[in-house]
Amino acid sequence: MEQTKRREQIMKVAIETIAAVGYSQASVGQISKRAGISKGVFTYHFASKDELMDQIVREVYEAGFRFMQQKVEGQTTPVGMLTAYIESNLAFIKEHRDYIVALAEIVTNARTPEGKLRFAGQADDTILEPLIEIFKWGEETGEFRTFTERAARVTASAIRSAIDSVATKLVAQPDLDIPGFSEELVSLFLTAVCKPKASTAATREKGEG
């Protein structure tokens, strides 16, 4: 239990450090100093900076999933679920700025001994599957237009890219209007996936709420 708490403390300090000074400046020594521990204690819990970075990336994704799951799974309509997917993803970004900035820093700067980006190519299309399943559900209920396999994948990719672009902007713009982005992205993508009648009803329902 004590070891787990220490690892969590080091990770928390590492995330804060990377968000504050950037990936390159967040050395083992810098992180250890901020955590109030020796380098020896650091290496007892994490064999290297790379191992720590692996754990941070995993933790950020898992934390995001847990945050979104609570808000998405309770939805009873495809429109509600797609709305919750976008809004909860952006809400997580807004409420966990250090996580998001640290993740962006790690993914764009961490390299292998051969000089290649350490996390390049690790993301795959499985991240699109929840969105594609929402589209299929919407087709079944008649709320969404009919999707070909390619159209569903392209649309899901567009949603993910739009969300990820907000995370990237947050690195350079700490005061970014994330709720504003969220509102516009929901409107944009509901218009893109809903049949005209369903889209109008959803917009009216949102306005009345």
Side-chain angles (χ1 to χ4, degrees):
M1 181 65 74
E2 189 62 35
Q3 290 187 7
T4 299
K5 288 183 178 180
R6 177 65 78 182
R7 283 175 63 88
E8 290 175 350
Q9 179 210 9
I10 294 172
M11 284 179 54
K12 181 177 183 295
V13 172
I15 289 169
E16 293 170 350
T17 303
I18 295 168
V21 303
Y23 174 83
S24 298
Q25 298 299 317
S27 63
V28 170
Q30 179 72 260
I31 294 169
S32 299
K33 181 179 179 181
R34 287 179 175 238
I37 60 175
S38 67
K39 286 186 181 181
V41 172
F42 178 102
T43 55
Y44 174 79
H45 292 283
F46 296 97
S48 64
K49 181 178 177 179
D50 285 343
E51 182 184 330
L52 175 59
M53 296 305 108
D54 289 343
Q55 187 61 43
I56 289 174
V57 170
R58 188 178 302 114
E59 169 59 23
V60 173
Y61 280 120
E62 289 179 354
F65 174 78
R66 292 192 299 269
F67 183 93
M68 292 175 63
Q69 185 179 34
Q70 299 173 10
K71 302 177 184 301
V72 173
E73 290 190 347
Q75 300 299 319
T76 58
T77 66
V79 167
M81 186 167 281
L82 181 57
T83 299
Y85 179 96
I86 296 170
E87 289 182 343
S88 64
N89 207 316
L90 291 174
F92 178 79
I93 290 172
K94 181 177 184 294
E95 294 178 25
H96 299 81
R97 182 181 181 278
D98 282 357
Y99 271 46
I100 300 306
V101 174
L103 179 65
E105 282 283 325
I106 293 168
V107 170
T108 56
N109 289 287
R111 294 183 178 271
T112 66
E114 295 76 28
K116 296 180 181 179
L117 286 173
R118 183 175 178 82
F119 296 97
Q122 288 197 8
D124 56 38
D125 281 358
T126 57
I127 196 172
L128 304 180
E129 294 306 322
L131 285 165
I132 292 173
E133 288 303 313
I134 295 173
F135 299 158
K136 289 179 180 177
W137 184 25
E139 285 186 69
E140 292 170 0
T141 64
E143 291 179 75
F144 291 177
R145 65 182 177 87
T146 300
F147 286 88
T148 63
E149 182 178 346
R150 182 180 68 179
R153 199 157 292 279
V154 169
T155 305
S157 295
I159 293 173
R160 283 298 337 155
S161 295
I163 292 170
D164 292 343
S165 73
V166 175
T168 302
K169 289 178 183 297
L170 185 64
V171 177
Q173 302 175 45
D175 58 347
L176 186 68
D177 178 18
I178 293 180
F181 269 87
S182 180
E183 182 178 351
E184 293 302 326
L185 289 183
V186 168
S187 176
L188 173 66
F189 286 113
L190 285 184
T191 301
V193 304
C194 287
K195 290 181 178 179
K197 183 178 180 180
S199 178
T200 301
T203 302
R204 187 184 304 116
E205 180 180 351
K206 188 176 181 63
E208 291 174 352

